Amino acid sequence: MSITFKEVEHTYSVDTPFAYHALKGVNLDIKKGSMTALIGHTGSGKSTLIQHINALLLPTSGQVQIEDVLITATDKPSSLKSLRKKAGLVFQFPEYQLFEETILKDIIFGPKNFGVSEEEAIKIAKDMIQLVGLDESYLERSPFDLSGGQKRRIAIAGILAMNPDILILDEPTAGLDPQGAKEMLQLFKKVNQEGKTVVLVSHDMNQVLEYCDDVVVMNHGRVEKHVTVAELFKETEYLTSLSIDLPIITSFILELNKNGFHIDPSIKDINVLVQEIGGQLNE
Amino acid sequence: MNNMMFGKYIPIDSFIHRLDPRLKIGSLLLLLIAVFFDAGFLGYALLGIFVIIMALLSHIKVSQILKAIKPMLFMMAFLMIFNLLFIQQGNLLVSIGFIKIYDQAVLQTLYIFIRLILIIVMTTILTATTKPLDLTLGIEHLLSPFKRIGFPTHEVAMMISIALRFIPTLLEETQRIMKAQASRGVEFSEGSLKEKILSIVSLIIPLFISAFQRAEDLANAMESRNYNPEAKRTRYKQLIWKISDTISFACVIMICSVLVIMSFVL
């Protein structure tokens, strides 16, 4: 197991009138090499949960194990740096973290903090900027001259340049245009297929269906479900109770089935669906 | 950063919370002046007791007051060391090499320490028991006599309330950026001086950029709603002066007068 939570509780501002119990007895095992979606309403504890993965937050009680590093309320690992390198966290709207004069300097900032030499880091930066869909001519430009979407790519390149084993993304496509969002997700899928564990916080069930293997559903600070994507979208009533919309393709199949078709609702791909419909029409 | 207590409103209910903001601001001003009258240790004991009573009435926890004092400790220590070393009056107490400490210096330093603590605690009581909006409303009311001589009371109050409004937002933003940079391997509390400076730069630049962005957004939002500082306004929230306010104010005036008299008599 790559990421393990055992009875993790987290309370913000303990012992003040502002105290807020954000995580309540969270148990979770996220498989190494999986692409796991984390869904749930605003305030359900998603952001709190992911910040435990690279020890930005420490559990109030319980324990978190990230590969061989154990984090509990009292003994935090002597060096958080190795953990931060292992688990790269991309915050929501990560473009806010840009600060250097040039994009190159900003991308190599992370790797250099983790002890990568300057030359090596520049080499990585050149790879990363292409990976996120921009070209090398951008490296000498100021990150503040770019559009919002481009800034986002640079910020993500800055995290990928650290070469983390686990990549955690908090709504990475919020505010991006559909094409940009698609490219981002394909990038994360590619990173995942290269063997990295990816945890993706998302509100878009279409993304969850298309790109993720497993889903963790959070509600009121608890992990309510940890199932495969196919299993989750079978439970239409449960999802309705949380007012989570089904992916467009799934709800379309369910509508078809109501009207006499017999199509497997776990179909993810539009082309497969088209063939299936065609086949059943010919029968 | 989340533990920043100084200037934070604590949403509970107490006698002090219910007092009129005008009274609280006025009293703080009077008490601040009184602190600087040299009424000897007896005077400070009296004022100290008064402040303790206020703190008790406001239901603020001791730990919260201590948290407000904590960030000031460094500055206080700095001030006190300078005072100890540079005031050279009275009898020589200790002399180690070039360091000479006089009894007057010790006395003065002690006074400064007591004054600073009193000021911090009193200010904390004001900000902890008064909502920022009430505070600005109070300031606006207290400044209103100056409107006649062309002082832009409303603009000043608006500026103060915007500044107060954005303190928590900026703190939140700071924390967010710190976390984002920590995720990129910045360690804000460790490393050499050069590393520390670089880590602060990685915090301050994004913070400035977002603050300016916010300022522009806010200005646009106000403008698009046709905000005009000169417009005549009515208020939903009315300040009502109650009998408890009069009594409290009488107490404050009494304490201040006693201190002033003591400082002249002693």
PDB file of all heavy atoms in Angstrom, chain B residues 45-76:
ATOM      1  N   ALA B  45      -0.293  49.054  39.811  1.00  0.00           N
ATOM      2  CA  ALA B  45      -1.029  47.956  40.450  1.00  0.00           C
ATOM      3  C   ALA B  45      -2.527  48.197  40.290  1.00  0.00           C
ATOM      4  O   ALA B  45      -3.285  47.296  39.916  1.00  0.00           O
ATOM      5  CB  ALA B  45      -0.649  47.851  41.912  1.00  0.00           C
ATOM      6  N   LEU B  46      -2.931  49.453  40.533  1.00  0.00           N
ATOM      7  CA  LEU B  46      -4.344  49.821  40.419  1.00  0.00           C
ATOM      8  C   LEU B  46      -4.851  49.562  38.988  1.00  0.00           C
ATOM      9  O   LEU B  46      -5.874  48.923  38.771  1.00  0.00           O
ATOM     10  CB  LEU B  46      -4.487  51.304  40.779  1.00  0.00           C
ATOM     11  CG  LEU B  46      -5.886  51.804  41.088  1.00  0.00           C
ATOM     12  CD1 LEU B  46      -6.390  51.171  42.367  1.00  0.00           C
ATOM     13  CD2 LEU B  46      -5.866  53.324  41.211  1.00  0.00           C
ATOM     14  N   LEU B  47      -4.086  50.086  38.023  1.00  0.00           N
ATOM     15  CA  LEU B  47      -4.459  49.924  36.620  1.00  0.00           C
ATOM     16  C   LEU B  47      -4.467  48.443  36.239  1.00  0.00           C
ATOM     17  O   LEU B  47      -5.367  47.971  35.528  1.00  0.00           O
ATOM     18  CB  LEU B  47      -3.471  50.690  35.735  1.00  0.00           C
ATOM     19  CG  LEU B  47      -3.929  50.983  34.309  1.00  0.00           C
ATOM     20  CD1 LEU B  47      -5.243  51.735  34.298  1.00  0.00           C
ATOM     21  CD2 LEU B  47      -2.864  51.773  33.572  1.00  0.00           C
ATOM     22  N   GLY B  48      -3.471  47.730  36.752  1.00  0.00           N
ATOM     23  CA  GLY B  48      -3.374  46.302  36.482  1.00  0.00           C
ATOM     24  C   GLY B  48      -4.616  45.574  36.950  1.00  0.00           C
ATOM     25  O   GLY B  48      -5.191  44.754  36.217  1.00  0.00           O
ATOM     26  N   ILE B  49      -5.045  45.893  38.176  1.00  0.00           N
ATOM     27  CA  ILE B  49      -6.249  45.242  38.715  1.00  0.00           C
ATOM     28  C   ILE B  49      -7.455  45.560  37.835  1.00  0.00           C
ATOM     29  O   ILE B  49      -8.254  44.687  37.492  1.00  0.00           O
ATOM     30  CB  ILE B  49      -6.500  45.688  40.182  1.00  0.00           C
ATOM     31  CG1 ILE B  49      -5.405  45.109  41.069  1.00  0.00           C
ATOM     32  CG2 ILE B  49      -7.876  45.235  40.660  1.00  0.00           C
ATOM     33  CD1 ILE B  49      -5.367  45.695  42.459  1.00  0.00           C
ATOM     34  N   PHE B  50      -7.535  46.848  37.425  1.00  0.00           N
ATOM     35  CA  PHE B  50      -8.648  47.260  36.567  1.00  0.00           C
ATOM     36  C   PHE B  50      -8.654  46.462  35.260  1.00  0.00           C
ATOM     37  O   PHE B  50      -9.689  45.961  34.820  1.00  0.00           O
ATOM     38  CB  PHE B  50      -8.545  48.764  36.286  1.00  0.00           C
ATOM     39  CG  PHE B  50      -9.705  49.312  35.527  1.00  0.00           C
ATOM     40  CD1 PHE B  50     -10.964  49.420  36.121  1.00  0.00           C
ATOM     41  CD2 PHE B  50      -9.564  49.729  34.212  1.00  0.00           C
ATOM     42  CE1 PHE B  50     -12.036  49.929  35.426  1.00  0.00           C
ATOM     43  CE2 PHE B  50     -10.638  50.237  33.504  1.00  0.00           C
ATOM     44  CZ  PHE B  50     -11.874  50.342  34.119  1.00  0.00           C
ATOM     45  N   VAL B  51      -7.448  46.317  34.677  1.00  0.00           N
ATOM     46  CA  VAL B  51      -7.347  45.586  33.410  1.00  0.00           C
ATOM     47  C   VAL B  51      -7.721  44.117  33.611  1.00  0.00           C
ATOM     48  O   VAL B  51      -8.419  43.515  32.789  1.00  0.00           O
ATOM     49  CB  VAL B  51      -5.921  45.717  32.812  1.00  0.00           C
ATOM     50  CG1 VAL B  51      -5.737  44.753  31.645  1.00  0.00           C
ATOM     51  CG2 VAL B  51      -5.686  47.143  32.355  1.00  0.00           C
ATOM     52  N   ILE B  52      -7.285  43.544  34.748  1.00  0.00           N
ATOM     53  CA  ILE B  52      -7.633  42.140  35.028  1.00  0.00           C
ATOM     54  C   ILE B  52      -9.153  41.984  35.145  1.00  0.00           C
ATOM     55  O   ILE B  52      -9.744  41.044  34.600  1.00  0.00           O
ATOM     56  CB  ILE B  52      -6.923  41.645  36.307  1.00  0.00           C
ATOM     57  CG1 ILE B  52      -5.426  41.503  36.020  1.00  0.00           C
ATOM     58  CG2 ILE B  52      -7.496  40.308  36.769  1.00  0.00           C
ATOM     59  CD1 ILE B  52      -4.582  41.275  37.244  1.00  0.00           C
ATOM     60  N   ILE B  53      -9.779  42.961  35.827  1.00  0.00           N
ATOM     61  CA  ILE B  53     -11.246  42.890  35.954  1.00  0.00           C
ATOM     62  C   ILE B  53     -11.897  42.937  34.571  1.00  0.00           C
ATOM     63  O   ILE B  53     -12.788  42.156  34.247  1.00  0.00           O
ATOM     64  CB  ILE B  53     -11.786  44.042  36.836  1.00  0.00           C
ATOM     65  CG1 ILE B  53     -11.312  43.832  38.274  1.00  0.00           C
ATOM     66  CG2 ILE B  53     -13.314  44.094  36.789  1.00  0.00           C
ATOM     67  CD1 ILE B  53     -11.615  44.989  39.201  1.00  0.00           C
ATOM     68  N   MET B  54     -11.384  43.841  33.714  1.00  0.00           N
ATOM     69  CA  MET B  54     -11.934  43.928  32.348  1.00  0.00           C
ATOM     70  C   MET B  54     -11.763  42.602  31.610  1.00  0.00           C
ATOM     71  O   MET B  54     -12.675  42.141  30.928  1.00  0.00           O
ATOM     72  CB  MET B  54     -11.231  45.037  31.557  1.00  0.00           C
ATOM     73  CG  MET B  54     -11.676  46.423  31.969  1.00  0.00           C
ATOM     74  SD  MET B  54     -11.328  47.630  30.666  1.00  0.00           S
ATOM     75  CE  MET B  54      -9.565  47.512  30.520  1.00  0.00           C
ATOM     76  N   ALA B  55     -10.569  42.027  31.756  1.00  0.00           N
ATOM     77  CA  ALA B  55     -10.293  40.764  31.061  1.00  0.00           C
ATOM     78  C   ALA B  55     -11.243  39.679  31.553  1.00  0.00           C
ATOM     79  O   ALA B  55     -11.771  38.888  30.765  1.00  0.00           O
ATOM     80  CB  ALA B  55      -8.850  40.347  31.277  1.00  0.00           C
ATOM     81  N   LEU B  56     -11.477  39.661  32.878  1.00  0.00           N
ATOM     82  CA  LEU B  56     -12.388  38.650  33.430  1.00  0.00           C
ATOM     83  C   LEU B  56     -13.801  38.858  32.896  1.00  0.00           C
ATOM     84  O   LEU B  56     -14.480  37.916  32.506  1.00  0.00           O
ATOM     85  CB  LEU B  56     -12.392  38.724  34.960  1.00  0.00           C
ATOM     86  CG  LEU B  56     -11.138  38.193  35.657  1.00  0.00           C
ATOM     87  CD1 LEU B  56     -11.230  38.412  37.159  1.00  0.00           C
ATOM     88  CD2 LEU B  56     -10.951  36.716  35.341  1.00  0.00           C
ATOM     89  N   LEU B  57     -14.224  40.141  32.865  1.00  0.00           N
ATOM     90  CA  LEU B  57     -15.582  40.440  32.386  1.00  0.00           C
ATOM     91  C   LEU B  57     -15.754  40.083  30.916  1.00  0.00           C
ATOM     92  O   LEU B  57     -16.858  39.817  30.458  1.00  0.00           O
ATOM     93  CB  LEU B  57     -15.879  41.933  32.579  1.00  0.00           C
ATOM     94  CG  LEU B  57     -16.240  42.377  33.989  1.00  0.00           C
ATOM     95  CD1 LEU B  57     -16.385  43.881  34.030  1.00  0.00           C
ATOM     96  CD2 LEU B  57     -17.531  41.705  34.437  1.00  0.00           C
ATOM     97  N   SER B  58     -14.641  40.078  30.161  1.00  0.00           N
ATOM     98  CA  SER B  58     -14.765  39.824  28.722  1.00  0.00           C
ATOM     99  C   SER B  58     -14.736  38.333  28.397  1.00  0.00           C
ATOM    100  O   SER B  58     -14.887  37.953  27.241  1.00  0.00           O
ATOM    101  CB  SER B  58     -13.652  40.531  27.970  1.00  0.00           C
ATOM    102  OG  SER B  58     -12.424  39.912  28.268  1.00  0.00           O
ATOM    103  N   HIS B  59     -14.525  37.486  29.418  1.00  0.00           N
ATOM    104  CA  HIS B  59     -14.514  36.024  29.240  1.00  0.00           C
ATOM    105  C   HIS B  59     -13.456  35.542  28.263  1.00  0.00           C
ATOM    106  O   HIS B  59     -13.632  34.511  27.618  1.00  0.00           O
ATOM    107  CB  HIS B  59     -15.879  35.502  28.772  1.00  0.00           C
ATOM    108  CG  HIS B  59     -16.959  35.684  29.784  1.00  0.00           C
ATOM    109  ND1 HIS B  59     -16.902  35.116  31.025  1.00  0.00           N
ATOM    110  CD2 HIS B  59     -18.100  36.393  29.748  1.00  0.00           C
ATOM    111  CE1 HIS B  59     -17.980  35.455  31.699  1.00  0.00           C
ATOM    112  NE2 HIS B  59     -18.719  36.237  30.956  1.00  0.00           N
ATOM    113  N   ILE B  60     -12.383  36.326  28.095  1.00  0.00           N
ATOM    114  CA  ILE B  60     -11.315  35.862  27.217  1.00  0.00           C
ATOM    115  C   ILE B  60     -10.391  34.975  28.043  1.00  0.00           C
ATOM    116  O   ILE B  60     -10.073  35.291  29.184  1.00  0.00           O
ATOM    117  CB  ILE B  60     -10.521  37.045  26.639  1.00  0.00           C
ATOM    118  CG1 ILE B  60     -11.460  37.972  25.899  1.00  0.00           C
ATOM    119  CG2 ILE B  60      -9.437  36.553  25.698  1.00  0.00           C
ATOM    120  CD1 ILE B  60     -10.807  39.255  25.486  1.00  0.00           C
ATOM    121  N   LYS B  61      -9.968  33.858  27.450  1.00  0.00           N
ATOM    122  CA  LYS B  61      -9.111  32.934  28.188  1.00  0.00           C
ATOM    123  C   LYS B  61      -7.718  33.522  28.362  1.00  0.00           C
ATOM    124  O   LYS B  61      -7.226  34.257  27.501  1.00  0.00           O
ATOM    125  CB  LYS B  61      -8.987  31.618  27.425  1.00  0.00           C
ATOM    126  CG  LYS B  61     -10.226  30.766  27.534  1.00  0.00           C
ATOM    127  CD  LYS B  61      -9.959  29.406  26.888  1.00  0.00           C
ATOM    128  CE  LYS B  61     -11.260  28.708  26.561  1.00  0.00           C
ATOM    129  NZ  LYS B  61     -11.181  27.941  25.339  1.00  0.00           N
ATOM    130  N   VAL B  62      -7.082  33.176  29.482  1.00  0.00           N
ATOM    131  CA  VAL B  62      -5.727  33.661  29.755  1.00  0.00           C
ATOM    132  C   VAL B  62      -4.795  33.248  28.616  1.00  0.00           C
ATOM    133  O   VAL B  62      -3.957  34.028  28.148  1.00  0.00           O
ATOM    134  CB  VAL B  62      -5.217  33.093  31.097  1.00  0.00           C
ATOM    135  CG1 VAL B  62      -3.794  33.587  31.362  1.00  0.00           C
ATOM    136  CG2 VAL B  62      -6.137  33.507  32.226  1.00  0.00           C
ATOM    137  N   SER B  63      -4.995  31.997  28.135  1.00  0.00           N
ATOM    138  CA  SER B  63      -4.105  31.510  27.083  1.00  0.00           C
ATOM    139  C   SER B  63      -4.200  32.387  25.835  1.00  0.00           C
ATOM    140  O   SER B  63      -3.217  32.601  25.123  1.00  0.00           O
ATOM    141  CB  SER B  63      -4.462  30.069  26.729  1.00  0.00           C
ATOM    142  OG  SER B  63      -5.769  30.009  26.218  1.00  0.00           O
ATOM    143  N   GLN B  64      -5.405  32.918  25.584  1.00  0.00           N
ATOM    144  CA  GLN B  64      -5.568  33.752  24.393  1.00  0.00           C
ATOM    145  C   GLN B  64      -4.866  35.093  24.553  1.00  0.00           C
ATOM    146  O   GLN B  64      -4.316  35.634  23.598  1.00  0.00           O
ATOM    147  CB  GLN B  64      -7.060  33.949  24.103  1.00  0.00           C
ATOM    148  CG  GLN B  64      -7.672  32.679  23.529  1.00  0.00           C
ATOM    149  CD  GLN B  64      -9.175  32.675  23.536  1.00  0.00           C
ATOM    150  OE1 GLN B  64      -9.806  33.370  24.318  1.00  0.00           O
ATOM    151  NE2 GLN B  64      -9.762  31.879  22.675  1.00  0.00           N
ATOM    152  N   ILE B  65      -4.887  35.610  25.794  1.00  0.00           N
ATOM    153  CA  ILE B  65      -4.178  36.866  26.040  1.00  0.00           C
ATOM    154  C   ILE B  65      -2.672  36.631  25.922  1.00  0.00           C
ATOM    155  O   ILE B  65      -1.947  37.439  25.330  1.00  0.00           O
ATOM    156  CB  ILE B  65      -4.570  37.432  27.417  1.00  0.00           C
ATOM    157  CG1 ILE B  65      -6.040  37.879  27.369  1.00  0.00           C
ATOM    158  CG2 ILE B  65      -3.662  38.582  27.800  1.00  0.00           C
ATOM    159  CD1 ILE B  65      -6.576  38.435  28.639  1.00  0.00           C
ATOM    160  N   LEU B  66      -2.210  35.498  26.458  1.00  0.00           N
ATOM    161  CA  LEU B  66      -0.780  35.200  26.365  1.00  0.00           C
ATOM    162  C   LEU B  66      -0.357  35.089  24.904  1.00  0.00           C
ATOM    163  O   LEU B  66       0.720  35.540  24.521  1.00  0.00           O
ATOM    164  CB  LEU B  66      -0.458  33.903  27.104  1.00  0.00           C
ATOM    165  CG  LEU B  66      -0.545  33.995  28.624  1.00  0.00           C
ATOM    166  CD1 LEU B  66      -0.211  32.659  29.252  1.00  0.00           C
ATOM    167  CD2 LEU B  66       0.386  35.081  29.159  1.00  0.00           C
ATOM    168  N   LYS B  67      -1.226  34.500  24.085  1.00  0.00           N
ATOM    169  CA  LYS B  67      -0.900  34.368  22.664  1.00  0.00           C
ATOM    170  C   LYS B  67      -0.749  35.734  22.004  1.00  0.00           C
ATOM    171  O   LYS B  67       0.014  35.896  21.058  1.00  0.00           O
ATOM    172  CB  LYS B  67      -2.003  33.580  21.949  1.00  0.00           C
ATOM    173  CG  LYS B  67      -1.684  32.115  21.826  1.00  0.00           C
ATOM    174  CD  LYS B  67      -2.731  31.452  20.968  1.00  0.00           C
ATOM    175  CE  LYS B  67      -2.665  29.957  21.087  1.00  0.00           C
ATOM    176  NZ  LYS B  67      -3.902  29.329  20.621  1.00  0.00           N
ATOM    177  N   ALA B  68      -1.549  36.707  22.485  1.00  0.00           N
ATOM    178  CA  ALA B  68      -1.451  38.049  21.908  1.00  0.00           C
ATOM    179  C   ALA B  68      -0.129  38.705  22.307  1.00  0.00           C
ATOM    180  O   ALA B  68       0.442  39.488  21.561  1.00  0.00           O
ATOM    181  CB  ALA B  68      -2.624  38.900  22.371  1.00  0.00           C
ATOM    182  N   ILE B  69       0.346  38.372  23.510  1.00  0.00           N
ATOM    183  CA  ILE B  69       1.595  38.979  23.985  1.00  0.00           C
ATOM    184  C   ILE B  69       2.793  38.351  23.284  1.00  0.00           C
ATOM    185  O   ILE B  69       3.771  39.030  22.978  1.00  0.00           O
ATOM    186  CB  ILE B  69       1.692  38.816  25.520  1.00  0.00           C
ATOM    187  CG1 ILE B  69       0.568  39.614  26.195  1.00  0.00           C
ATOM    188  CG2 ILE B  69       3.047  39.292  26.030  1.00  0.00           C
ATOM    189  CD1 ILE B  69       0.509  39.454  27.689  1.00  0.00           C
ATOM    190  N   LYS B  70       2.681  37.065  22.985  1.00  0.00           N
ATOM    191  CA  LYS B  70       3.835  36.317  22.487  1.00  0.00           C
ATOM    192  C   LYS B  70       4.556  36.945  21.292  1.00  0.00           C
ATOM    193  O   LYS B  70       5.784  37.110  21.336  1.00  0.00           O
ATOM    194  CB  LYS B  70       3.414  34.877  22.154  1.00  0.00           C
ATOM    195  CG  LYS B  70       4.444  33.847  22.571  1.00  0.00           C
ATOM    196  CD  LYS B  70       3.883  32.453  22.415  1.00  0.00           C
ATOM    197  CE  LYS B  70       4.591  31.755  21.280  1.00  0.00           C
ATOM    198  NZ  LYS B  70       3.927  30.499  20.916  1.00  0.00           N
ATOM    199  N   PRO B  71       3.829  37.328  20.236  1.00  0.00           N
ATOM    200  CA  PRO B  71       4.563  37.885  19.090  1.00  0.00           C
ATOM    201  C   PRO B  71       5.302  39.180  19.408  1.00  0.00           C
ATOM    202  O   PRO B  71       6.202  39.584  18.677  1.00  0.00           O
ATOM    203  CB  PRO B  71       3.473  38.115  18.032  1.00  0.00           C
ATOM    204  CG  PRO B  71       2.184  37.925  18.698  1.00  0.00           C
ATOM    205  CD  PRO B  71       2.397  37.205  19.972  1.00  0.00           C
ATOM    206  N   MET B  72       4.890  39.853  20.511  1.00  0.00           N
ATOM    207  CA  MET B  72       5.510  41.127  20.863  1.00  0.00           C
ATOM    208  C   MET B  72       6.756  40.931  21.724  1.00  0.00           C
ATOM    209  O   MET B  72       7.480  41.874  21.990  1.00  0.00           O
ATOM    210  CB  MET B  72       4.522  41.990  21.668  1.00  0.00           C
ATOM    211  CG  MET B  72       3.250  42.273  20.933  1.00  0.00           C
ATOM    212  SD  MET B  72       3.548  43.399  19.570  1.00  0.00           S
ATOM    213  CE  MET B  72       2.060  43.186  18.655  1.00  0.00           C
ATOM    214  N   LEU B  73       6.969  39.696  22.185  1.00  0.00           N
ATOM    215  CA  LEU B  73       8.042  39.465  23.155  1.00  0.00           C
ATOM    216  C   LEU B  73       9.405  39.869  22.602  1.00  0.00           C
ATOM    217  O   LEU B  73      10.215  40.462  23.312  1.00  0.00           O
ATOM    218  CB  LEU B  73       8.067  37.982  23.574  1.00  0.00           C
ATOM    219  CG  LEU B  73       7.038  37.623  24.628  1.00  0.00           C
ATOM    220  CD1 LEU B  73       7.123  36.149  24.956  1.00  0.00           C
ATOM    221  CD2 LEU B  73       7.241  38.453  25.891  1.00  0.00           C
ATOM    222  N   PHE B  74       9.627  39.568  21.339  1.00  0.00           N
ATOM    223  CA  PHE B  74      10.930  39.863  20.744  1.00  0.00           C
ATOM    224  C   PHE B  74      11.206  41.366  20.775  1.00  0.00           C
ATOM    225  O   PHE B  74      12.242  41.820  21.230  1.00  0.00           O
ATOM    226  CB  PHE B  74      10.978  39.346  19.308  1.00  0.00           C
ATOM    227  CG  PHE B  74      12.265  39.635  18.615  1.00  0.00           C
ATOM    228  CD1 PHE B  74      13.413  38.936  18.958  1.00  0.00           C
ATOM    229  CD2 PHE B  74      12.343  40.632  17.652  1.00  0.00           C
ATOM    230  CE1 PHE B  74      14.615  39.223  18.335  1.00  0.00           C
ATOM    231  CE2 PHE B  74      13.542  40.917  17.029  1.00  0.00           C
ATOM    232  CZ  PHE B  74      14.682  40.213  17.365  1.00  0.00           C
ATOM    233  N   MET B  75      10.186  42.134  20.343  1.00  0.00           N
ATOM    234  CA  MET B  75      10.347  43.587  20.333  1.00  0.00           C
ATOM    235  C   MET B  75      10.539  44.110  21.749  1.00  0.00           C
ATOM    236  O   MET B  75      11.360  44.995  22.004  1.00  0.00           O
ATOM    237  CB  MET B  75       9.097  44.210  19.716  1.00  0.00           C
ATOM    238  CG  MET B  75       9.236  45.665  19.366  1.00  0.00           C
ATOM    239  SD  MET B  75       7.611  46.378  19.053  1.00  0.00           S
ATOM    240  CE  MET B  75       7.006  46.599  20.711  1.00  0.00           C
ATOM    241  N   MET B  76       9.783  43.517  22.684  1.00  0.00           N
ATOM    242  CA  MET B  76       9.885  43.972  24.071  1.00  0.00           C
ATOM    243  C   MET B  76      11.278  43.681  24.625  1.00  0.00           C
ATOM    244  O   MET B  76      11.887  44.545  25.271  1.00  0.00           O
ATOM    245  CB  MET B  76       8.814  43.277  24.922  1.00  0.00           C
ATOM    246  CG  MET B  76       7.454  43.934  24.783  1.00  0.00           C
ATOM    247  SD  MET B  76       6.127  42.914  25.400  1.00  0.00           S
ATOM    248  CE  MET B  76       6.515  42.878  27.116  1.00  0.00           C
TER     249      MET B  76
END
